[in-house]
Amino acid sequence: MHTFTEAAQHGPQEVGREVLRLVSLNDSHHGVAPGLVLPADYEEQFYRNNNLPEQLRSLFSPINPRRVDEDALEVLCLKAEALVRASYLLDDDVQRFYRALSAAALNEGRLHVRRDEGSDVEEARVTPPGTQALIALKKLWSRDWTFDAVLERLDAQGSVAIDGRASLIFAGGAGQPDERLAAQLGWSRVLVNEFGVVGA
């Protein structure tokens, strides 16, 4: 787990492309809200430790990507979401998460979690050690298995499979678009909340 400054030293495949834009904002005197990056391998390890790739492959094996039975797919997606939410992070990974939250002063108060360059947000009001943040993170991960998300992958790549991706945690609530700042920076979007910029 990295602060945004630390994350900038890693590749976009691990921490996402958005982080690099956020770090550049700090250099231009536009404050970024306090936050953390959970690299893609944190999620991948969660999947491996729970044998989720094999379980999900087996669950979706009745689905033919060329002729999708949407009614059957909807039922399987509900089961997949429940499977992800019911799976556990190893205790060492949980403790590492709590330590990172504490070090970043994100273990108390309001925060939100979303994917790198994503729009889906899970909010939480956190008390130490940060269990509510962990629950929000797993809810975010389980969104990859909603009917719409799975159908989109089937249409785009002919498979339900997905790689782990970076997740971002920010202090405060979900940001609102700031069109003036976006135009000033020449970017398509900038999101701002009570703590600063939370999306770029």
Side-chain angles (χ1 to χ4, degrees), residues 95-126:
Q95 295 308 316
R96 195 159 53 104
F97 180 81
Y98 289 159
R99 284 194 301 272
L101 279 183
S102 179
L106 293 171
N107 63 338
E108 192 159 11
R110 190 175 177 205
L111 58 73
H112 71 278
V113 184
R114 68 174 174 78
R115 292 289 193 178
D116 172 68
E117 299 186 316
S119 56
D120 289 337
V121 172
E122 289 291 340
E123 294 194 37
R125 188 161 294 279
V126 179

Side-chain angles (χ1 to χ4, degrees), residues 15-186:
V15 298
R17 293 184 296 245
E18 185 176 1
V19 171
L20 303 178
R21 294 193 296 274
L22 289 169
V23 171
S24 74
L25 281 182
N26 277 334
D27 297 335
S28 63
H29 309 296
H30 297 287
V32 175
L36 283 175
V37 180
L38 303 181
D41 62 7
Y42 190 74
E43 182 182 14
E44 288 168 0
Q45 187 170 328
F46 164 74
Y47 271 70
R48 283 194 306 270
N49 289 340
N50 288 281
N51 195 32
L52 287 173
E54 185 55 40
Q55 291 186 72
L56 290 163
R57 192 177 303 113
S58 175
L59 180 67
F60 285 99
S61 63
I63 298 297
N64 179 349
R66 283 175 249 112
R67 292 183 55 205
V68 176
D69 178 340
E70 292 192 0
D71 291 333
L73 181 65
E74 191 166 6
V75 171
L76 295 178
C77 288
L78 290 172
K79 290 180 180 179
E81 284 184 82
L83 179 62
V84 172
R85 282 196 306 270
S87 298
Y88 294 97
L89 284 154
L90 295 181
D91 190 55
D92 284 350
D93 295 325
V94 171
Q95 295 308 316
R96 195 159 53 104
F97 180 81
Y98 289 159
R99 284 194 301 272
L101 279 183
S102 179
L106 293 171
N107 63 338
E108 192 159 11
R110 190 175 177 205
L111 58 73
H112 71 278
V113 184
R114 68 174 174 78
R115 292 289 193 178
D116 172 68
E117 299 186 316
S119 56
D120 289 337
V121 172
E122 289 291 340
E123 294 194 37
R125 188 161 294 279
V126 179
T127 57
T131 305
Q132 299 88 345
L134 197 56
I135 292 169
L137 177 66
K138 286 182 62 184
K139 282 182 181 177
L140 182 71
W141 288 350
S142 72
R143 284 181 181 226
D144 287 332
W145 300 100
T146 62
F147 174 79
D148 288 341
V150 172
L151 188 60
E152 184 178 322
R153 290 200 298 278
L154 283 168
D155 287 344
Q157 62 196 41
S159 168
V160 301
I162 192 166
D163 293 325
R165 292 172 292 151
S167 301
L168 310 179
I169 303 176
F170 293 95
Q176 298 300 315
D178 186 328
E179 294 178 6
R180 188 173 64 180
L181 182 54
Q184 180 184 337
L185 294 168

Side-chain angles (χ1 to χ4, degrees), residues 4-21:
F4 295 134
T5 303
E6 292 167 346
Q9 300 166 24
H10 298 269
Q13 190 69 22
E14 182 182 354
V15 298
R17 293 184 296 245
E18 185 176 1
V19 171
L20 303 178
R21 294 193 296 274

